Amino acid sequence: MKVLVPVKRVIDYNIKPRVKADGSGVETAGVKMSMNPFDEIAVEEAVRLKEKGVVSEIIAVSIGEAKAQDTLRTAMAMGADRSILVETDVVTEPLAVAKVLKALVEKEKPDLVILGKQAIDDDMNATGQMLAGLLDRPQATFASKVDVADGAVTVTREIDGGAQTIKLALPAIITADLRLNEPRYASLPNIMKARKKPMEKITPADLGVDMTPRLSVISVAEPPERKAGIKLDSAAELVSRLRNEAKVI
Amino acid sequence: MTVLVFLDHEGGVIRQASRSAIAAANRLGDVDVLVTGPDAAAAAKSAAAIPGVKKVLQVTDTTGSSELAEPVAALLAQLADGYTHILATSSATAKNVLPRAAALLDVQPIPDIVAINDADTFVRPIYAGSALATVKSADAKKVITVRASSFEPVAAEGGNAVIEDVALPAGPGGSTFVSTELSKSERPELESARVVVSGGNGMQNEENFKLLEPLADRLGAAIGASRAAVDKGFVSNEYQVGQTGKIVAPELYIAMGISGAIQHLAGMKDSKVIVAVNKDPEAPIFQVADYGIVGDLFTILPQLEAELDKAG
Amino acid sequence: MSETTRETMEFDVVIVGGGPSGLAAAIRLRQVAPDASVCLIEKGSEIGAHILSGAVIEPRALEELLPHWREEGAPLNTPVTEEQMLYLTRKGSLEVPFLDRVMPHMSNHGNYITSLGDLCRWLAGRAEELGVEIYPGFAGAEVLVDDGGRVIGVATGDMGVGRDGQPGDNYAPGMELRAKYTLFAEGCRGSLTKQVTAMYNLRKGVDPQTYGLGIKELWEIPKEMHRPGLVQHSFGWPLDDRTYGGAWMYHFGDNLVSYGFVVGLDYPNTWLSPFDEMQRVKLHPAFRPYFEGGRRIAYGARALSEGGIQSIPRLTFPGGALIGDTAGFLNVPKIKGTHTAMKSGMLAAEAVAEALATNRAEPGSYTRRVRDSWLWPELRGVRNIRPAFAKFGMKGGALYSGIDAMLLRGRAPWTLHTRHADNEVLEPASISPKIDYPKPDGKITFDRLSSVFLSSTNHEEDQPVHLKVRNMSLWKTVNWDVFRAPESRYCPAGVYEVADEATDPKLQINAQNCVHCKTCDIKDPTQNIDWATPEGAGGPNYPGGM
């Protein structure tokens, strides 16, 4: 069984993003970039399935600028067998990304696509669902547990206030949530070995996909700062203010 | 312009967050709503009572398939014809369904909006709220989820909308509902709680941290913690509010013994009302708190509980 | 713990550290020995992540290493156009006149203001093009030595070890990187350098190393206040005459300002807080106007070696060499170490290439090459200036350096020596004057925690504490009873806090905050704190421009 895992290169989650002074976006020049943490979880899940003998091949895909190669190398160091870079300098929106992935799915014919539930840069949380929609395939988003058996996958999903379990016939689409697993490190020996794993480079045009974004960014700003309020002398005054002034209790 | 709002409900009761989505929809045009899932009939009745709702579309289904994204997304895509915007509150359910519907409509969704500039232009947080992006959609239809904390919910009662039945289309059939398990905890989830009581370094130890529980119980609040409190082992990781923990925006956030490191503020500064109790008058938390008390939290905590009891 | 499961890889040369010296050595090696396999490891999450400098860079070594650096786009874009040396008093400032004659070593004509991190990122690109294998995110944790006493490489640290020292679920053992020659390019006070130095007694017969702590902020300021090419340095207020140090401010790039403060770690007053000195100097009328309306982008700190030529240890040993600031090649009065670090790396690379060809255990010609190059006379010429400040105080030292420069022209027949290591000169709290620092205003001045936040420092939480206190009881009797916890003040990252101060004082170590400046390893009065490398990729993540 074949698994496709898309990975995105984003500003490292430890870095506080800085809005550019001209309001055109967030500064990425010279900023540490890493694999989107949810995508790491997706890669890890695929690798675990391979270690269990369920999966025979893992293909990592990244769509973005040439530097996304680094992210693919990391995916291969974690255990992906080969990778595909779809190179574009255009802002990658979930709709266009889903179209690229659809084309790759049709070409590579994986039984399972495992994605991170969202990228921590644009926080869209959409690509997996959209890919499933475009392919008319079943989806299991926000997965916290994945079991593959007998041509089907049983997924426990995080929902508001609890968990839901659903069963999908393969081929299917899964998006990974935080609790699915704890990703392994890309160890130094594996990073060295990953340098020799194959990486194919193509463009969206090769797949016949138009990447033109549907959303145009008018401006990006820092969120407004809160103003300091008032200091109170007693718990009694606080309760009265919360009740009568703020009306929150 | 007519807007379709996909409503979330719990056992037939429309969630307040969904009424915030209706509030957002009211800014865009006439509002119809869709309810699905078990207890959809009860939910449809509550929805019909919401002022401003013109029409309630209900899916009555007993097979569990309305719990699945595939048929519901297909239904939304079918219904989309008559609408300029499809909205829902930013819940796990909506995030599961709406992007799939958007793909079927060849539309790029616009998640988590916090403001509406015009019918095409919206403001949404990116990078976990570290920045706000104003985006303009070129799509003919918009598929949107709404941050509930940014829109004052409409009233629950006073309206009288018509209720119509709609049927779920047959989905791709590859997906089967197995079960749902709601967590047993009496306390609401940190990320969706209306009130959050958080403790920091000032709680001193694991034992003292538990002193927050009676207050949280009284307020029906979730419990959170600063990174310092988590680092020192007062509570486990999942309680951490902050840039690297959970991002919360409750109506009331009570910070007990939290100094207010930037990384913590990043996780709670969108709360509607912030209360801080800290013995250090210079603690940065006071710079964002609406109400602050300078003093020993171990003295103030029991007083606060007593006052709440007194007030009923 | 993991000896049996460690994988091994063989290289001709392994370089520990991806700063200017390590990268220059890597590039030079592939230039002069194109067949040599060269592997470079860096403990930061990426090249540049742990690099912190002013930086005004003299391009001399770069010119020799990569003569086409301009065409190849090296990020040296802001030439120095104007420079000032300011003597500060509490409210005012005097500009030192005729700077180029009184302090010729300070002259920055032909130099560039840049981000050293950006330069390193660029150098890493050139090195990779030449076939150097670069692995960021991996810390050299252990020196490998064979039975004959020759260094045969390093091992990277284990990953995924829990706080209790036990391997966790995602445990990945370290790897042995074996090499014919190992170059230690760890920067000031390298932790493996410390081991190698002890092993081969490399400091025999040289002065103790003395250090400074540099604390830096990167600001974006309003365009109308930005004067690209302006270089300012200050001395005087707020430091007393017994404390060496001063501020810098450089305008460069797109409305960027590099501001920082260096304090000599031979300061005697235990109440001194380098961080708070750095903060309050921003409020001085000479600097404040530039910060008004600006925003702080990044923060960081790093120790630097100030001993000069008298303190440089033996540079080679069987199987390797020390290069860059871990050997102490900084030119102190110039406040520049990049060109000297690069040059030392290049010379070591040439010596290693020669040793490779002749199969010699020790790349011994490195020392001769250093002495025969411009590096030695440059450092020799300024050797007395920093020690003069230690000997005669700030005013006396300034006078001496003027005389040294104008009359002696660096050719004084004597050499002043550093007698005491920095940890030996701290005076007890009871006799040190207390210092009252202003509270941060949140606009121009800030507290430690919000500052560390801007260094984007992170360490995997569940790992053994990498700051090891050898003897905790010594902390109470010496650090607390005598000096009142100087680490809580000199640490620029708030790593050291005293808990239960009033009742039962205890040292609390917030190792997660550590920005890897190494000051605690240097300044602790009894050398009781040992800085070890944490799990790879931990530490600060300084952004571009820093």
Side-chain angles (χ1 to χ4, degrees):
Chain A
M1 172 169 142
K2 228 186 205 185
V3 178
L4 190 79
V5 186
V7 294
K8 186 175 187 184
R9 181 174 179 266
V10 299
I11 294 182
D12 187 90
Y13 77 103
N14 286 313
I15 311 289
K16 182 183 158 52
R18 176 163 55 91
V19 174
K20 287 186 194 167
D22 66 3
S24 63
V26 165
E27 186 63 74
T28 54
V31 177
K32 164 148 174 64
M33 308 293 277
S34 296
M35 187 190 298
N36 178 38
F38 291 105
D39 300 348
E40 281 186 339
I41 297 170
V43 174
E44 175 67 31
E45 196 61 22
V47 175
R48 288 187 187 187
L49 288 172
K50 191 176 173 192
E51 286 168 348
K52 278 186 206 155
V54 177
V55 164
S56 54
E57 190 186 26
I58 302 167
I59 308 159
V61 180
S62 193
I63 301 157
E65 50 188 283
K67 275 283 201 179
Q69 291 184 42
D70 297 351
T71 311
L72 289 172
R73 294 268 171 229
T74 306
M76 292 193 290
M78 288 176 72
D81 297 288
R82 61 185 170 96
S83 62
I84 304 170
L85 172 66
V86 184
E87 203 177 326
T88 174
D89 290 333
V90 176
V91 176
T92 50
E93 274 181 359
L95 177 63
V97 169
K99 287 177 181 175
V100 169
L101 293 175
K102 176 175 186 261
L104 287 174
V105 165
E106 282 160 357
K107 195 169 139 203
E108 298 284 349
K109 307 206 166 20
D111 302 278
L112 209 50
V113 183
I114 310 180
L115 308 90
K117 76 162 180 179
Q118 87 189 66
I120 60 165
D121 51 1
D122 61 16
D123 285 334
M124 283 282 188
N125 190 341
T127 304
Q129 298 89 310
M130 298 187 83
L131 174 62
L134 293 179
L135 287 166
D136 199 19
R137 284 188 185 176
Q139 72 182 51
T141 51
F142 324 144
S144 59
K145 192 161 176 281
V146 171
D147 274 315
V148 181
D150 310 325
V153 54
T154 306
V155 178
T156 305
R157 306 177 53 237
E158 307 249 348
I159 59 171
D160 290 332
Q164 182 195 55
T165 304
I166 58 176
K167 191 171 176 181
L168 313 178
L170 295 175
I173 314 297
I174 294 173
T175 75
D177 212 326
L178 208 53
R179 289 199 291 183
L180 181 57
N181 58 52
E182 192 184 340
R184 72 195 61 200
Y185 292 100
S187 73
L188 186 50
N190 288 336
I191 290 174
M192 290 178 172
K193 286 168 203 155
R195 290 170 90 99
K196 296 182 183 79
K197 289 186 179 177
M199 185 187 298
E200 187 189 343
K201 290 178 195 171
I202 54 173
T203 66
D206 296 338
L207 299 168
V209 175
D210 174 11
M211 296 291 291
T212 312
R214 302 289 180 84
L215 301 181
S216 47
V217 175
I218 310 291
S219 67
V220 173
E222 306 247 1
E225 272 183 50
R226 276 186 95 96
K227 286 197 183 65
I230 47 171
K231 298 245 172 83
L232 307 174
D233 292 324
S234 69
E237 196 182 350
L238 174 62
V239 169
S240 130
R241 294 260 192 172
L242 289 177
R243 189 171 305 266
N244 304 319
E245 189 176 75
K247 297 188 171 62
V248 287
I249 58 171
Chain B
M1 285 195 290
T2 312
V3 181
L4 180 63
V5 180
F6 173 61
L7 292 188
D8 260 33
H9 62 94
E10 268 171 32
V13 181
I14 305 295
R15 293 179 53 200
Q16 178 181 302
S18 278
R19 287 190 277 117
S20 289
I22 293 174
N26 279 334
R27 309 259 309 270
L28 294 163
D30 292 341
V31 176
D32 292 354
V33 302
L34 173 68
V35 292
T36 64
D39 309 310
K45 281 205 188 77
S46 331
I50 295 172
V53 173
K54 295 272 177 303
K55 186 161 69 180
V56 178
L57 305 174
Q58 70 167 346
V59 173
T60 28
D61 159 64
T62 48
T63 63
S65 63
S66 63
E67 302 259 356
L68 299 169
E70 296 83 355
V72 179
L75 174 64
L76 279 171
Q78 261 177 30
L79 296 172
D81 252 358
Y83 300 98
T84 54
H85 299 73
I86 297 174
L87 259 69
T89 189
S90 297
S91 65
T93 310
K95 282 170 182 272
N96 188 32
V97 172
L98 259 64
R100 186 174 178 117
L104 301 177
L105 296 166
D106 192 31
V107 164
Q108 168 59 44
I110 311 165
D112 295 322
I113 64 161
V114 294
I116 299 171
N117 288 10
D118 59 43
D120 304 316
T121 315
F122 308 90
V123 182
R124 60 180 301 269
I126 54 175
Y127 291 95
S130 296
L132 291 174
T134 303
V135 295
K136 187 178 166 79
S137 169
D139 287 318
K141 275 184 211 311
K142 324 297 184 234
V143 177
I144 292 169
T145 59
V146 172
R147 273 272 166 100
S149 53
S150 299
F151 296 90
E152 190 76 26
V154 294
E157 304 281 340
N160 188 17
V162 293
I163 300 178
E164 275 179 24
D165 275 311
V166 289
L168 276 185
S175 193
T176 330
F177 172 75
V178 179
S179 64
T180 295
E181 258 182 75
L182 295 178
S183 51
K184 307 268 184 296
S185 164
E186 291 296 302
R187 267 198 202 101
E189 275 198 301
L190 190 50
E191 280 160 296
S192 53
R194 201 186 65 84
V195 181
V196 173
V197 176
S198 273
N201 209 12
M203 299 308 299
Q204 293 178 344
N205 55 44
E206 195 181 341
E207 199 73 355
N208 287 350
F209 201 92
K210 296 201 173 74
L211 297 174
L212 295 178
E213 287 173 7
L215 176 65
D217 289 343
R218 265 178 189 77
L219 292 166
I223 288 182
S226 71
R227 182 162 124 179
V230 172
D231 276 2
K232 288 178 184 163
F234 303 170
V235 281
S236 66
N237 231 341
E238 66 203 89
Y239 287 87
Q240 189 188 324
V241 172
Q243 177 86 4
T244 54
K246 301 215 160 66
I247 312 281
V248 302
E251 288 188 35
L252 175 59
Y253 188 91
I254 302 181
M256 303 295 278
I258 292 177
S259 65
I262 292 181
Q263 101 90 25
H264 183 74
L265 301 184
M268 45 67 81
K269 63 180 166 29
D270 291 333
S271 307
K272 199 165 148 205
V273 175
I274 296 175
V275 171
V277 177
N278 202 301
K279 66 178 176 197
D280 176 8
E282 305 292 334
I285 190 83
F286 288 120
Q287 289 163 21
V288 300
D290 299 283
Y291 303 111
I293 300 183
V294 178
D296 178 26
L297 67 93
F298 297 108
T299 318
I300 293 160
L301 199 52
Q303 291 171 354
L304 196 52
E305 284 165 37
E307 286 298 328
L308 284 166
D309 280 349
K310 216 190 286 173
Chain C
M1 139 174 42
S2 51
E3 300 292 334
T4 51
T5 54
R6 279 207 299 221
E7 289 195 50
T8 299
M9 192 85 165
E10 308 258 353
F11 297 91
D12 289 319
V13 183
V14 164
I15 300 171
V16 183
S21 72
L23 290 163
I27 290 170
R28 185 56 120 205
L29 261 162
R30 295 287 299 184
Q31 287 172 339
V32 296
D35 296 330
S37 56
V38 181
C39 166
L40 183 151
I41 55 170
E42 161 59 42
K43 69 179 162 62
S45 64
E46 60 169 1
I47 296 292
H50 290 185
I51 297 293
L52 185 130
S53 180
V56 175
I57 290 179
E58 186 174 309
R60 186 172 188 177
L62 179 62
E63 193 84 49
E64 294 174 7
L65 181 67
L66 296 163
H68 304 294
W69 59 271
R70 283 185 185 81
E71 301 80 75
E72 287 167 7
L76 268 56
N77 300 319
T78 310
V80 176
T81 52
E82 187 185 351
E83 53 191 315
Q84 299 170 351
M85 171 62 82
L86 304 170
Y87 174 76
L88 302 188
T89 59
R90 180 173 288 276
K91 293 251 153 33
S93 60
L94 295 167
E95 192 180 336
V96 175
F98 309 113
L99 190 63
D100 53 341
R101 268 188 279 159
V102 191
M103 297 183 172
H105 41 263
M106 293 293 304
S107 171
N108 277 307
H109 186 75
N111 296 339
Y112 294 83
I113 308 169
T114 188
S115 148
L116 185 57
D118 288 350
L119 178 60
C120 287
R121 288 181 185 97
W122 180 83
L123 285 170
R126 304 291 78 72
E128 282 187 320
E129 283 167 12
L130 286 165
V132 177
E133 292 185 34
I134 299 181
Y135 298 106
F138 295 95
E142 186 186 330
V143 181
L144 304 173
V145 184
D146 72 6
D147 295 340
R150 173 175 174 163
V151 170
I152 51 163
V154 295
T156 62
D158 296 344
M159 309 283 268
V161 177
R163 182 158 281 207
D164 54 2
Q166 296 304 309
D169 289 344
N170 56 0
Y171 172 73
M175 182 180 191
E176 294 196 0
L177 301 169
R178 293 184 180 240
K180 295 190 179 112
Y181 301 97
T182 307
L183 296 178
F184 294 90
E186 299 168 278
C188 173
R189 195 81 173 189
S191 48
L192 296 187
T193 301
K194 213 170 146 182
Q195 293 176 27
V196 176
T197 303
M199 234 183 279
Y200 298 100
N201 200 12
L202 301 178
R203 298 208 66 86
K204 195 180 151 198
V206 303
D207 285 359
Q209 186 58 273
T210 173
Y211 301 89
L213 170 62
I215 309 179
K216 173 175 172 177
E217 292 182 343
L218 180 68
W219 282 68
E220 190 174 52
I221 67 166
K223 200 174 179 55
E224 59 276 14
M225 288 306 291
H226 194 246
R227 293 163 62 186
L230 174 63
V231 165
Q232 291 172 304
H233 291 107
S234 79
F235 65 110
W237 185 86
L239 300 178
D240 65 23
D241 199 52
R242 300 166 71 203
T243 308
Y244 182 79
W248 79 78
M249 182 185 258
Y250 310 146
H251 294 234
F252 72 112
D254 270 349
N255 301 320
L256 295 178
V257 160
S258 160
Y259 165 80
F261 198 82
V262 176
V263 175
L265 287 178
D266 56 350
Y267 68 83
N269 184 346
T270 189
W271 297 109
L272 185 121
S273 162
F275 174 84
D276 292 293
E277 298 294 352
M278 181 273 246
Q279 292 297 335
R280 69 167 160 173
V281 173
K282 283 187 281 183
L283 299 173
H284 191 278
F287 294 116
R288 182 173 187 136
Y290 295 109
F291 294 112
E292 301 275 6
R295 64 172 173 163
R296 192 169 67 142
I297 292 172
Y299 169 87
R302 185 71 172 94
L304 46 140
S305 305
E306 291 189 341
I309 212 164
Q310 299 91 316
S311 300
I312 293 178
R314 199 177 108 203
L315 294 171
T316 61
F317 45 84
L322 307 178
I323 59 177
D325 206 30
T326 203
F329 278 108
L330 186 95
N331 180 331
V332 189
K334 252 189 192 177
I335 350 178
K336 280 183 193 52
T338 303
H339 67 297
T340 51
M342 288 179 70
K343 183 67 177 174
S344 73
M346 290 155 64
L347 296 169
E350 289 160 15
V352 163
E354 183 190 314
L356 267 173
T358 54
N359 210 5
R360 227 170 307 160
E362 185 159 342
S365 76
Y366 171 37
T367 309
R368 177 181 51 75
R369 287 167 194 271
V370 167
R371 287 186 183 263
D372 291 348
S373 74
W374 50 259
L375 194 47
W376 201 256
E378 175 178 329
L379 294 180
R380 198 173 151 71
V382 298
R383 71 190 181 284
N384 285 332
I385 293 179
R386 174 64 178 93
F389 280 92
K391 200 178 172 75
F392 307 126
M394 280 305 274
K395 292 196 193 78
L399 187 66
Y400 177 91
S401 70
I403 294 169
D404 190 289
M406 293 209 293
L407 302 178
L408 306 166
R409 296 180 189 278
R411 289 192 290 263
W414 59 82
T415 295
L416 300 175
H417 287 280
T418 302
R419 302 283 177 208
H420 299 285
D422 295 339
N423 64 298
E424 296 167 349
V425 297
L426 206 60
E427 292 173 356
S430 55
I431 62 162
S432 294
K434 284 209 175 189
I435 305 174
D436 191 19
Y437 293 111
K439 285 239 151 59
D441 61 21
K443 290 188 171 65
I444 292 175
T445 58
F446 303 92
D447 64 2
R448 276 184 174 79
L449 273 182
S450 61
S451 300
V452 176
F453 182 71
L454 284 183
S455 68
S456 298
T457 294
N458 190 56
H459 290 89
E460 166 58 43
E461 200 180 318
D462 190 19
Q463 65 171 305
V465 172
H466 71 281
L467 301 152
K468 303 187 192 304
V469 178
R470 289 186 188 148
N471 178 352
M472 219 12 131
S473 62
L474 211 54
W475 178 81
K476 174 68 174 62
T477 52
V478 178
N479 294 47
W480 177 255
D481 290 347
V482 182
F483 299 107
R484 281 293 181 272
E487 57 281 349
S488 66
R489 291 176 291 276
Y490 64 61
C491 174
V495 168
Y496 300 97
E497 275 181 301
V498 181
D500 304 324
E501 205 167 306
T503 49
D504 174 24
K506 283 184 288 287
L507 180 65
Q508 184 176 302
I509 303 178
N510 308 313
Q512 265 205 324
N513 284 3
C514 175
V515 296
H516 296 201
C517 76
K518 314 275 178 88
T519 303
C520 51
D521 195 277
I522 295 165
K523 188 66 176 173
D524 183 68
T526 59
Q527 295 277 278
N528 195 23
I529 302 177
D530 223 0
W531 192 98
T533 47
E535 192 168 277
N541 282 289
Y542 297 137
M546 189 65 169

